[in-house]
Amino acid sequence: MYHEVAESIIQAILKNQYEDKLPTEKELVEEYGVSRNTVRKALDVVFAHGMLRRVRGSGYYVIKKPLQSAKVLNMSIGFDENSMVSGGPLKSKVVQFDTIETNEDLAARGNLPLGTKVYRVIRLRYLEERLYSLEESYFPRDVVPYLSDESVQNSIFSFLRETYQMTGDTTENYVHVQALDERYAELVGKKEGDQALGLDAINYLANGTVFNFSRTIFVYDSFALYYHTQNIDVKK
Amino acid sequence: MYHEVAESIIQAILKNQYEDKLPTEKELVEEYGVSRNTVRKALDVVFAHGMLRRVRGSGYYVIKKPLQSAKVLNMSIGFDENSMVSGGPLKSKVVQFDTIETNEDLAARGNLPLGTKVYRVIRLRYLEERLYSLEESYFPRDVVPYLSDESVQNSIFSFLRETYQMTGDTTENYVHVQALDERYAELVGKKEGDQALGLDAINYLANGTVFNFSRTIFVYDSFALYYHTQNIDVKK
DNA sequence: ATTGATTTGTTCGTATGTATC
DNA sequence: GGATACATACGAACAAATCAA
């Protein structure tokens, strides 16, 4: 239930229904008809999305900054939600779609055994007709038995959710600077050896199995990944 | 109290006291003599550090991966804790230490008004005698009235904590690819125009004021920032 | 394959502490 | 100092997934 409350609060924030300050916990308790614990759990979620500042004795305040630009991708929210970038959904142009076995590099990147059979999907992704990223993603075939052509053209994650009730639980993300090889440079219209922001992600189901891993190369100039951390102060 | 429990569990994990699986919540309740809710809150913290996988009906499992390498910086833990990179504390060589007023660029990067007086500290940072990063950090003087020469040589955050009881609460992080200008290229021994991984961070106190912002340029080859996200599934 | 025990997930109520206003 | 608002902690109950007999 706290999920629904969290989603509702997030939507309210996105619609600018709160100027700057959220209602108090007490008011939210009344509005949603749940206990204070549940409201707080929901606010934890919103907070983790990097959308709130919480001040003891005062209240909750909206952080507006990182949401405005197509050039900033908020990584504090789930991978799935990021398929909706601000500015609309991404369109895909499939470059490659086949099945291969993991070599050493892919096995390491996917935290999988060597020689695992995986779907490979390479796509150029566009935001408002403009090239946004080059995405190379893999799905172990013993976990994902089938991917339709149609899903690969659109949202693979939606397909997995609707077909297999398969939803990601946790993601490990590695951000690095990626030098483009000849093939990728040509695909994104840059020179071989040029460097871009790269994001390697491993997606796990709730039971801990890998159902997807990917490498995304962002080609926008002055593009940034945003995330929000809380400094949990452990020391006395 | 859940902070102490969390810290204790984290230390136990780092010392490899659990093979792969943590004790059950019930056992932790007995071990620490606190309620189950408190144990769960502590486990939330450890989980947010990217150190755990949790499986309903089964238990908590240790994620070992991202911790081993000096080439991976775990951003899921607080900024402060990251001053202790695996491999030991960073040593600093101060390049510049003065007071300036924010220009347009700095004001934006620090989420501050134009013309704010700030301490500026530029340092080369070394891990085991090897250049690790170039860090450019700023402290608004109306928030941080004084920084000692000595603290700038060592840990500024420790100085602020001990002198002013000033501890960071939340951090906004922006990761991007940074082209090196002539000065910085020379400092880190690369060519002008070379690109590196850049991290812009804004640190807030609990009451929401900015006490620090910084830009860190990482110069290790194949260096990566790691972070861990939970895909909170909001849709039905 | 079913059942029952174990283990984590969610929700509620209540009480007390601490920072802000 | 008093009222307000968020932070922490305990106890209890039931749900849902897993695991083992």
Side-chain angles (χ1 to χ4, degrees), chain A residues 206-233:
Chain A
N207 67 10
T209 58
V210 176
F211 76 101
N212 162 258
F213 64 98
S214 65
R215 171 166 293 170
T216 305
I217 295 165
F218 297 97
V219 298
Y220 268 23
D221 282 335
S222 62
F223 179 86
L225 298 176
Y226 166 83
Y227 53 101
H228 174 267
T229 56
Q230 180 172 22
N231 294 325
I232 296 140
D233 196 28

Side-chain angles (χ1 to χ4, degrees), chain B residues 146 158-166:
Chain B
Y146 174 67
S158 299
F159 174 81
L160 293 178
R161 188 170 50 241
E162 286 153 18
T163 311
Y164 299 113
Q165 288 78 49
M166 193 179 287

Side-chain angles (χ1 to χ4, degrees), chain B residues 170-236:
Chain B
T170 56
T171 306
E172 296 178 5
N173 299 283
Y174 296 86
V175 184
H176 60 282
V177 175
Q178 175 78 40
L180 301 176
D181 63 18
E182 188 184 351
R183 183 190 185 198
Y184 279 2
E186 194 184 332
L187 280 171
V188 300
K190 301 209 173 190
K191 291 194 301 291
E192 183 177 351
D194 277 2
Q195 296 185 304
L197 196 63
L199 170 65
D200 283 3
I202 309 178
N203 281 292
Y204 294 85
L205 301 178
N207 66 11
T209 58
V210 176
F211 77 99
N212 162 258
F213 64 98
S214 65
R215 171 167 292 171
T216 305
I217 295 165
F218 297 97
V219 297
Y220 268 24
D221 282 335
S222 61
F223 179 86
L225 299 176
Y226 166 83
Y227 53 102
H228 174 268
T229 55
Q230 181 172 20
N231 294 327
I232 297 139
D233 195 28
V234 179
K235 310 292 164 35
K236 67 242 154 212

Side-chain angles (χ1 to χ4, degrees), chain B residues 28-42:
Chain B
L28 291 170
V29 163
E30 287 159 11
E31 178 175 345
Y32 289 103
V34 296
S35 73
R36 182 171 169 230
N37 281 336
T38 303
V39 165
R40 281 183 62 79
K41 197 100 202 268

Side-chain angles (χ1 to χ4, degrees), chain A residues 1-3 33-38 41 56-58:
Chain A
M1 187 146 74
Y2 70 89
H3 289 120
V34 296
S35 74
R36 181 165 170 238
N37 281 340
T38 303
K41 197 98 202 271
R56 184 193 290 203
S58 177

Side-chain angles (χ1 to χ4, degrees), chain B residues 80-128:
Chain B
D80 212 1
E81 296 177 57
N82 260 331
S83 60
M84 299 294 287
V85 184
S86 77
L90 296 176
K91 290 183 184 169
S92 300
K93 180 178 163 190
V94 178
V95 174
Q96 188 147 21
F97 177 33
D98 53 7
T99 297
I100 60 170
E101 293 188 357
T102 55
N103 59 21
E104 205 155 316
D105 175 51
L106 287 180
R109 275 163 52 190
N111 195 15
L112 290 170
L114 198 68
T116 307
K117 279 195 178 166
V118 292
Y119 274 120
R120 170 171 62 179
V121 184
I122 302 179
R123 308 189 288 186
L124 291 165
R125 312 213 73 186
Y126 295 86
L127 177 61
E128 291 169 340

Side-chain angles (χ1 to χ4, degrees), chain A residues 164-180:
Chain A
Y164 300 114
Q165 287 78 50
M166 194 180 286
T167 52
D169 182 71
T170 56
T171 306
E172 297 178 4
N173 300 283
Y174 296 86
V175 184
H176 60 282
V177 175
Q178 175 79 42
L180 301 176

